[in-house]
Amino acid sequence: QIKSINKPMYLVGLGAQSDLEYNFDFLKNINPTIKKLLKKIYDTGGAISVRGEFTGKVLEKLGFYDYEITGCPSIYINGRNFQLNQNIVDKNEFKVALNGHADIDLYPN
């Protein structure tokens, strides 16, 4: 029950997805309970971090303006041991992955 929560809550890495035109039409289908939960997070003194600017704009359209863009939380998984792989990869090795499928050729002949 959302009403009974009274300790600060933190939502880390919230992400929203859209089409290539950054369409916000999906907002009309947002369940009212989601808005109640977001409000409750702020009411408890908690905070919300989002993965990117688009998700921040989604929150703003829902009436929530206090958020932090922190990016993808998985980048922090190794903490100080994180190493960026800078190997040169041939462009033919890249594949688009959609819902776990990698069968689209980025460079058709």
Side-chain angles (χ1 to χ4, degrees), residues 14-20 22-24 26 51 54-55 58 99:
L14 180 63
Q17 294 184 350
S18 181
D19 55 21
L20 294 176
Y22 295 103
N23 191 324
F24 291 95
F26 68 93
R51 292 175 64 125
F54 177 72
T55 306
V58 168
N99 294 326

Side-chain angles (χ1 to χ4, degrees), residues 57-109:
K57 296 295 182 197
V58 168
L59 284 180
E60 289 177 11
K61 290 191 175 288
L62 292 173
F64 303 99
Y65 298 90
D66 186 18
Y67 59 87
E68 186 77 30
I69 298 175
T70 56
C72 177
S74 62
I75 198 166
Y76 305 107
I77 197 164
N78 291 319
R80 293 181 179 170
N81 297 322
F82 175 77
Q83 292 183 358
L84 181 61
N85 182 343
Q86 296 184 2
N87 295 340
I88 296 175
V89 179
D90 186 80
K91 70 179 183 178
N92 293 319
E93 293 183 45
F94 287 93
K95 298 285 183 188
V96 174
L98 302 171
N99 294 326
H101 299 284
D103 27 335
I104 297 172
D105 188 358
L106 288 176
Y107 304 98
N109 293 335

Side-chain angles (χ1 to χ4, degrees), residues 11-68:
L11 185 53
V12 179
L14 180 63
Q17 294 184 350
S18 181
D19 55 21
L20 294 176
E21 286 80 38
Y22 295 103
N23 191 324
F24 291 95
D25 288 345
F26 68 93
L27 289 175
K28 63 185 172 213
N29 297 321
I30 295 285
N31 187 311
T33 304
I34 298 300
K35 292 181 188 177
K36 289 178 185 176
L37 176 62
L38 295 172
K39 182 174 181 338
K40 189 64 173 183
I41 289 171
Y42 290 118
D43 289 348
T44 64
I48 297 176
S49 78
V50 297
R51 292 175 64 125
E53 185 177 338
F54 177 72
T55 306
K57 296 295 182 197
V58 168
L59 284 180
E60 289 177 11
K61 290 191 175 288
L62 292 173
F64 303 99
Y65 298 90
D66 186 18
Y67 59 87
E68 186 77 30

